[in-house]
Amino acid sequence: MNNVVLVGRLTKDPELRYLTSGTPVATFTMAIDRDYKNKDGSITTDFIPVEIMGKPAEFVANYITKGRLVGVQGSIRVDRYETPDGEKRTFTKVSGRSIQALESKNKATKNEEAPESPTEFAAIDDDDVPF
């Protein structure tokens, strides 16, 4: 079984192209932090290339931008090719089947260091209620 689920942020806006058959194809890279720290206390980030086709590709191109947190479900794909010099190479990527935005566009553009406003409940007068 070849199934992968990734959650991460786009490193730049997706690129949309069309195959000769007219099928839309979107490509982008996701930045995903590993779940542990190095000896020096820093977190390593992996940059995973993703390709998604069909209607999800058009959704990505129209609504998902750099910095957005997304979830992608798909499979690992290894493409093999030969350079003009005869050197054999491989390229590993995720072939996405579905994608979901996990936060609003406004949240992605805000400074993540900004503190969240505290939740406070205060008594209000009945005359201040608009309904």
Side-chain angles (χ1 to χ4, degrees):
M1 179 184 300
N2 184 356
N3 191 32
V4 64
V5 177
L6 300 172
V7 175
R9 296 189 181 276
L10 270 66
T11 61
K12 62 180 182 175
D13 290 343
E15 295 177 12
L16 182 66
R17 63 184 171 86
Y18 291 89
L19 301 178
T20 54
S21 64
T23 303
V25 179
T27 56
F28 54 92
T29 301
M30 292 177 65
I32 302 169
D33 291 337
R34 294 188 182 178
D35 59 353
Y36 62 89
K37 294 183 180 180
N38 293 336
K39 292 178 184 177
D40 62 357
S42 64
I43 296 175
T44 302
T45 302
D46 292 312
F47 297 93
I48 311 292
V50 180
E51 179 180 82
I52 195 162
M53 301 174 77
K55 287 187 180 190
E58 291 178 331
F59 169 78
V60 168
N62 292 324
Y63 300 106
I64 306 296
T65 55
K66 177 183 175 179
R68 294 283 298 275
L69 184 67
V70 297
V72 173
Q73 181 182 14
S75 59
I76 303 290
R77 192 165 119 191
V78 179
D79 291 336
R80 293 174 178 84
Y81 65 96
E82 192 171 316
T83 65
D85 299 336
E87 186 179 345
K88 294 182 181 181
R89 299 219 177 152
T90 61
F91 181 74
T92 304
K93 63 183 171 187
V94 170
S95 178
R97 284 188 294 276
S98 64
I99 185 166
Q100 183 173 0
L102 299 178
E103 68 182 1
S104 67
K105 184 176 182 178
N106 293 339
K107 176 127 178 148
T109 57
K110 286 184 182 176
N111 182 358
E112 292 180 5
E113 299 298 319
E116 292 191 23
S117 59
T119 304
E120 293 183 23
F121 297 100
I124 58 171
D125 189 7
D126 288 340
D127 293 334
D128 293 336
V129 178
F131 50 89

